[in-house]
Amino acid sequence: SSGIFWDNDSLATLLAQELNADLLIMLSDVEGLYSGPPSDPQSKIIHTYINEKHGKLINFGEKSRVGRGGMQAKVAAAVTAASKGVPAVIASGFAIDSIIKVMRGEKIGTLFHNEANFWDCSKEVTSREMAVSAKDCSRHLQNLSSEERKKILLDIADALEANEDLILSENEADLAAAQDAGYEKSLVARMTLKAGKITSLSRSIREIADMEDPISHTLKRTEVAKDLVFEKTYCPLGVLLIIFESRPDALVQIAALAIRSGNGLLLKGGKEAMRSNTILHKVITGVIPDVVGKKLIGLVKSKDEIADLLKLDDVIDLVIPRGSNKLVSQIKAATKIPVLGHADGICHVYIDKSADMDMAKRIVLDAKVDYPAACNAMETLLVHKDLNKTQGLDDLLMELANEGVVIYGGPVAHDTLKVPKVDSFHHEYSSMACTLEFVDDVQSAIDHINRYGSAHTDCIITTDKKSADIFLQQVDSAAVFHNASTRFCDGTRFGLGAEVGISTGRIHARGPVGVDGLLTTRCILRGSGQVVNGDKGVVYTHRELPL
């Protein structure tokens, strides 16, 4: 131990000093330095090591399975390197692209730096403190009466309308910055709070306020035995983390649903709408009473904090990402917290051979053109082969083209109509593109949707009730429609007041997720001194009781 070096870590430190390296990266079998053994649920990763702060607090566990010295030796080597002017990072050697991510400056592993004690490292505790505060405030919220929670929502609706000019001014600043930065038109469109939007949002909040109180709503009552009654009731999930892109109006809808359902909330919006999100958050939290606490709804402003929040599976109960396929997939891969959402919005409309073509034209145009950037907009048009080259279909395709829709063809459509050929039915074209394909019958349409769809929203247009029933029963999607536009798949339009997102999963909510999707259940047992004692003397009745 008094030698020049004694293991690979100290040798690496010596070499880094000799070379005057800009950075030393040491790979471990864990993500970085923890406050205790990584296997201990109470141990938390330390992103920036400060010797004065962490030196005496760390409890090292057993040595590494793949090296000599374990984490203690790595820390000693990293501290030495940093003291000699070579920053060091301890990161996982098992995680994909760890070295590349460190080189990009991403917040992974543990950083050692000789000036770290001068930095403001308060962010390391901010994420946990924010989540814990939201949970504490949610318990205060649940203790309020239904009327008191309702009043909070009504006050929010009034405050939004009172601050409309300020909100729109901040939104216009975001839009100007986004256009200057060259963002896509579809993203700018999603960011825009159009005239009348604040009024619409306030009306939606008032509808949520008028809904039946979901908290402690009794679902089931059963007499287990004499004077022993079992009840199953609704209760809030706890703390929700919502990560969304572009749309500031989503912040308002989600906040209203969280308050009505008694949940704490952490919100991370896209940086492109930061000013809009900040003013909306300020207006909403400004009317939350002190008896609940303003920290009921936290606004996460740094992308770096997301990684920390996704590790808080002991505090955060559900993550809902709203955005691109890439965003949702990244979130699912990075957390142990349950994730609710959809990764794609590949929605189909199938025109059956018995369809009313005037109706089909209205539905298809609405499904594609009403709001092309929406996740419930039509991406693929399936048509019965008997309608190929008919006047009704030709008129429909001409209408789509006149609206600026670019039509690509599957193998059959490409060969018969000479439209550009689709590369894959898993396409990611612009929001104004549409894939067209011909199918043999309703069963072929169902098979195509179940194979290539994203289980979001799919529709059949037909006058044949039998075909419609087969389609509605066999298409394996969260929402399946007959003779109605896919654009109806929306929490507000379904009467849910609003939605936190649309889930294509199966656990625990599916389709547009409103208040009921933000609740779980609690079991309550009311007794009079009963004990099990091997079930001796207990006469189970299991009789259903009125609610």
Side-chain angles (χ1 to χ4, degrees), residues 367-508:
K368 186 62 195 174
V369 178
D370 179 64
Y371 187 4
C375 63
N376 57 12
M378 180 188 75
E379 298 288 337
T380 300
L381 176 62
L382 300 177
V383 181
H384 193 284
K385 63 181 182 181
D386 291 354
L387 299 176
N388 188 4
K389 295 186 178 180
T390 61
Q391 188 63 47
L393 180 61
D394 289 346
D395 290 345
L396 187 156
L397 297 178
M398 182 63 69
E399 289 272 7
L400 285 173
N402 290 340
E403 293 289 344
V405 177
V406 179
I407 299 173
Y408 293 84
V412 179
H414 167 70
D415 290 343
T416 59
L417 299 182
K418 306 305 180 186
V419 292
K421 190 173 183 180
V422 69
D423 295 325
S424 165
F425 285 110
H426 291 289
H427 59 77
E428 289 189 9
Y429 298 123
S430 76
S431 59
M432 289 304 291
C434 172
T435 299
L436 169 69
E437 184 57 314
F438 294 101
V439 293
D440 293 338
D441 51 27
V442 66
Q443 191 60 55
S444 299
I446 292 167
D447 293 343
H448 182 104
I449 292 169
N450 288 340
R451 179 178 179 183
Y452 296 111
S454 61
H456 194 294
T457 305
D458 300 290
C459 160
I460 182 173
I461 304 173
T462 184
T463 58
D464 185 337
K465 184 178 183 302
K466 183 178 179 182
S467 293
D469 289 343
I470 292 172
F471 188 92
L472 295 175
Q473 182 178 6
Q474 295 186 19
V475 169
D476 189 18
S477 296
V480 191
F481 296 171
H482 173 210
N483 290 347
S485 169
T486 57
R487 291 281 292 121
F488 278 107
C489 189
D490 175 85
T492 302
R493 296 188 178 100
F494 279 177
L496 304 180
E499 66 182 35
V500 295
I502 295 177
S503 170
T504 55
R506 298 177 183 274
I507 302 173
H508 68 285

Side-chain angles (χ1 to χ4, degrees), residues 54-297:
H54 300 118
K56 297 179 181 179
L57 297 178
I58 298 170
N59 175 27
F60 291 100
E62 62 184 15
K63 291 187 177 182
S64 168
R65 301 183 300 274
V66 292
R68 266 192 72 197
M71 184 56 72
Q72 195 163 2
K74 280 186 166 51
V75 170
V79 168
T80 301
S83 69
K84 301 295 185 182
V86 179
V89 172
I90 298 176
S92 172
F94 292 123
I96 296 173
D97 294 339
S98 281
I99 297 175
I100 294 173
K101 290 177 179 177
V102 169
M103 295 298 291
R104 288 175 180 163
E106 294 186 25
K107 189 178 181 181
I108 67 166
T110 302
L111 171 65
F112 297 75
H113 195 286
N114 61 354
E115 296 180 1
N117 58 316
F118 299 115
W119 299 345
D120 176 11
C121 296
S122 58
K123 279 202 302 183
E124 289 191 7
V125 295
T126 297
S127 299
R128 172 166 288 276
E129 286 182 346
M130 188 184 294
V132 170
S133 295
K135 176 151 284 190
D136 290 341
C137 291
S138 73
R139 291 177 177 135
H140 300 321
L141 178 67
Q142 294 162 32
N143 291 334
L144 298 184
S145 68
S146 177
E147 286 302 311
E148 288 171 322
R149 286 193 298 273
K150 177 178 178 179
K151 185 178 184 305
I152 295 174
L153 290 172
L154 295 177
D155 289 346
I156 289 173
D158 293 342
L160 288 172
E161 290 177 337
N163 290 276
E164 181 174 9
D165 290 345
L166 179 57
I167 293 168
L168 294 181
S169 175
E170 292 295 279
N171 183 242
E172 287 170 4
D174 278 336
L175 295 177
Q179 289 166 348
D180 290 344
Y183 284 117
E184 293 182 4
K185 290 182 179 180
S186 59
L187 184 143
V188 176
R190 289 194 295 271
M191 288 172 56
T192 306
L193 295 174
K194 297 178 182 177
K197 186 63 177 179
I198 299 300
T199 300
S200 174
L201 288 170
S202 297
R203 182 171 59 248
S204 174
I205 292 172
R206 293 185 179 107
E207 290 174 1
I208 294 171
D210 288 336
M211 294 172 63
E212 180 184 0
D213 184 22
I215 301 178
S216 299
H217 178 72
T218 302
L219 303 171
K220 181 183 179 69
R221 291 183 73 239
T222 304
E223 180 190 74
V224 177
K226 187 175 184 303
D227 296 329
L228 188 63
V229 176
F230 164 81
E231 297 176 358
K232 178 175 280 190
T233 66
Y234 272 140
C235 68
L237 285 170
V239 176
L240 315 174
L241 170 58
I242 316 293
I243 302 169
F244 58 100
E245 296 177 338
S246 310
R247 291 181 53 186
D249 59 319
L251 184 152
V252 179
Q253 297 174 359
I254 294 164
L257 290 171
I259 291 172
R260 196 61 177 128
S261 58
N263 287 291
L265 184 61
L266 302 175
L267 293 161
K268 174 63 179 79
K271 63 180 181 181
E272 65 279 354
M274 178 56 72
R275 294 181 67 158
S276 304
N277 292 333
T278 300
I279 187 61
L280 288 169
H281 176 260
K282 183 178 180 180
V283 170
I284 290 170
T285 56
V287 300
I288 296 176
D290 291 339
V291 68
V292 174
K294 312 293 185 188
K295 294 181 180 179
L296 175 72
I297 302 174

Side-chain angles (χ1 to χ4, degrees), residues 529-538 540:
Q530 290 89 342
V531 296
V532 173
N533 192 27
D535 288 328
K536 297 173 185 175
V538 180
Y540 292 101

